[in-house]
Amino acid sequence: MSDLLTFTDRGIFCEAGDFYIDPWRPVDRALVTHGHADHAHEGMSHYLATDIAAPVMRHRLGEISLDTIRYGETRRIGDVTVSFHPAGHVPGSAQIRIEHKGEVWVASGDYKTIDDGLSTPFEPVKCDAFITESTFGLPVFKWTPQDELARDLNAWWAANAAEGRFSLIGAYALGKAQRILTLADTSIGPILTHGAVENTNEVLRAQGIKLPDTIRVTPDTDLKAHPGALVVATPSGLGGPWSRRFGTAANPASTAFASGWMALRGVRRRRAADRGFIMSDHADWPGLNAAIRDTGASRIFVTHGYTSVFRRWLESEGYDAAIVSTEYSGENFDAPDEGETGGEAA
C-alpha cells in the first residue's frame, strides 16, 4: 500500500486527492495551513485555506483564486475526505486532516499547544501518521507561561516609561506582534507600531479580531508626543535604520526581542538587546511531545527544525520516525520577517 501523502520537490503531495499541502513551487491546487510566507507561496492556480486565514493570505498574495473552509468542515477532494483543524499557531492556522479508505494522515504545518488568547486553540487530531515541525525540538525550549510573560513585559515597559524612554520590541508582523498587543497593559502608555505590523493589525481588526488601539509610525509621526511608548517593530525594523529615530544619546530607547530563541543565552547576547522575552508561536519541547502523543499516531514525519535530534528521540520512544526535507523555515532570526513582505514599511 502506497503512502497517502508523499514528499516531492514541490511540496507534500496527495495523489488520491491530486493536491499539495503548503507547496513551495507552483501547482494547480494548494491546501494551505496558514499565511506565513514559507507556507503560503505565490503562483498557485487555486488555494484552499480557513476562512480566518483567508484575509491575511489575500493581503499578502494579492488577487488569488482562494476558496475557504471552516474548522471541522469536511470536504471531498478527489478520492479523499479533507478537513482543517485548529493549529494554535497564528489566527486561522490549521492542521490538515486527510482520510482515505479508513487511513488518516495529518499535516500539522506550524503549531503551538498553549492557548495564547488570540488564535483558535490547538486541537489534537487522531491519526495514523502525523507530519510535525520540530523548530524547537530540544528539551531546553520551554515557554514562559502567559501570565508571567505579561507581567515581565509590562514591568519592563513601565520602568522605561517612568524615565520617558521608548520600549522597542521586535516580533514577527503576523502572530507574535498581536500577542504582544494583547498582553500589553495600555494604562502604561500609548503603543506605536511599525508599518508592516500595523498593516497586519488592520487586516485582523477588519475580520473582528480585537486588538488594543495602536498608532502607525510614519515619517511624519511626532515621536515627542508619545514619550514612554511601547513600540512594536518587526525584527528587521528593530535591527535597521527604522529604529534609530527613537531615543537620544542622553536617553536611548530600551530594546527587546520576543522569540523562542531567547531561551538560548548565546542568541540573546548576539542580538545585543536589553531584554529577551521567551515567546514563540511554535510548540516548545513539552508541546511537541504532548501533541504527538495525543494524535495516537505510530508514524511520525519530522520536518523543519532540530530534525535529527527529534527523530532520534521519537525513535527511542517507540515511534516509527523519519525526517522529511522541506523549504519551511519555522522561526528563524536570521531570515526575513516570517511571512511579511515590505518589512521596512514606514
Side-chain angles (χ1 to χ4, degrees):
M1 181 176 64
S2 61
D3 286 344
L4 184 52
L5 297 178
T6 56
F7 305 93
T8 76
D9 61 357
R10 291 176 178 265
I12 302 169
F13 181 58
C14 178
E15 182 177 7
D18 192 22
F19 60 78
Y20 289 80
I21 296 173
D22 291 350
W24 47 84
R25 292 183 177 84
V27 300
D28 182 57
R29 180 180 289 170
L31 277 60
V32 178
T33 59
H34 66 285
H36 279 147
D38 59 327
H39 290 261
H41 289 264
E42 297 178 345
M44 313 303 159
S45 299
H46 305 283
Y47 296 81
L48 177 65
T50 68
D51 54 339
I52 304 173
V56 163
M57 287 183 58
R58 290 192 175 101
H59 165 65
R60 291 183 163 179
L61 300 178
E63 294 296 325
I64 56 175
S65 174
L66 173 60
D67 192 12
T68 63
I69 186 170
R70 297 184 303 276
Y71 286 134
E73 177 185 346
T74 59
R75 188 165 301 186
R76 191 74 177 173
I77 303 178
D79 294 330
V80 303
T81 300
V82 169
S83 55
F84 285 51
H85 303 266
H89 175 56
V90 295
S93 62
Q95 306 168 79
I96 300 178
R97 180 186 186 273
I98 306 97
E99 182 174 1
H100 179 59
K101 296 181 179 179
E103 185 178 8
V104 176
W105 287 50
V106 170
S108 64
D110 291 330
Y111 64 92
K112 174 174 80 269
T113 56
I114 64 169
D115 182 357
D116 62 13
L118 177 70
S119 307
T120 306
F122 177 89
E123 293 180 3
V125 181
K126 295 295 183 182
C127 57
D128 301 296
F130 185 63
I131 302 171
T132 181
E133 62 153 306
S134 61
T135 305
F136 294 106
L138 291 178
V140 68
F141 294 110
K142 186 174 182 181
W143 304 152
T144 305
Q146 286 279 101
D147 56 346
E148 292 183 27
L149 197 57
R151 182 192 64 206
D152 294 346
L153 173 70
N154 289 311
W156 167 71
W157 179 19
N160 293 328
E163 299 178 359
R165 190 190 307 268
F166 286 105
S167 299
L168 273 69
I169 185 165
Y172 284 139
L174 170 60
K176 212 176 299 172
Q178 291 75 37
R179 285 183 64 192
I180 290 170
L181 295 179
T182 61
L183 294 174
D185 178 358
T186 56
S187 70
I188 297 172
I191 302 175
L192 309 183
T193 53
H194 184 282
V197 172
E198 194 59 27
N199 289 342
T200 305
N201 290 347
E202 290 175 353
V203 173
L204 296 177
R205 287 189 182 109
Q207 63 188 98
I209 295 175
K210 293 184 178 180
L211 299 171
D213 292 338
T214 52
I215 302 168
R216 178 193 294 266
V217 175
T218 72
D220 298 325
T221 301
D222 180 8
L223 298 180
K224 293 180 181 178
H226 308 290
L230 177 67
V231 185
V232 183
T234 61
S236 62
L238 185 58
W242 183 87
S243 65
R244 293 173 192 159
R245 71 190 80 179
F246 300 94
T248 64
N251 194 22
S254 180
T255 59
F257 281 98
S259 172
W261 297 111
M262 292 297 102
L264 301 179
R265 292 181 181 177
V267 173
R268 291 202 300 269
R269 288 194 299 268
R270 181 161 58 89
R271 300 310 294 191
D274 299 320
R275 286 293 302 269
F277 295 99
I278 303 173
M279 173 195 289
S280 180
D281 287 328
H282 297 262
D284 60 4
W285 175 262
L288 288 169
N289 281 275
I292 291 168
R293 181 178 63 248
D294 290 347
T295 66
S298 57
R299 299 183 68 189
I300 309 297
F301 296 89
V302 182
T303 63
H304 48 300
Y306 288 95
T307 52
S308 297
V309 174
F310 198 52
R311 182 200 62 185
R312 289 196 297 270
W313 164 254
L314 291 172
E315 288 176 337
S316 74
E317 292 293 293
Y319 292 99
D320 177 5
I323 296 173
V324 178
S325 177
T326 69
E327 295 190 9
Y328 311 136
S329 60
E331 184 173 316
N332 185 347
F333 243 141
D334 296 316
D337 298 330
E338 187 173 338
E340 182 57 56
T341 58
E344 289 302 321

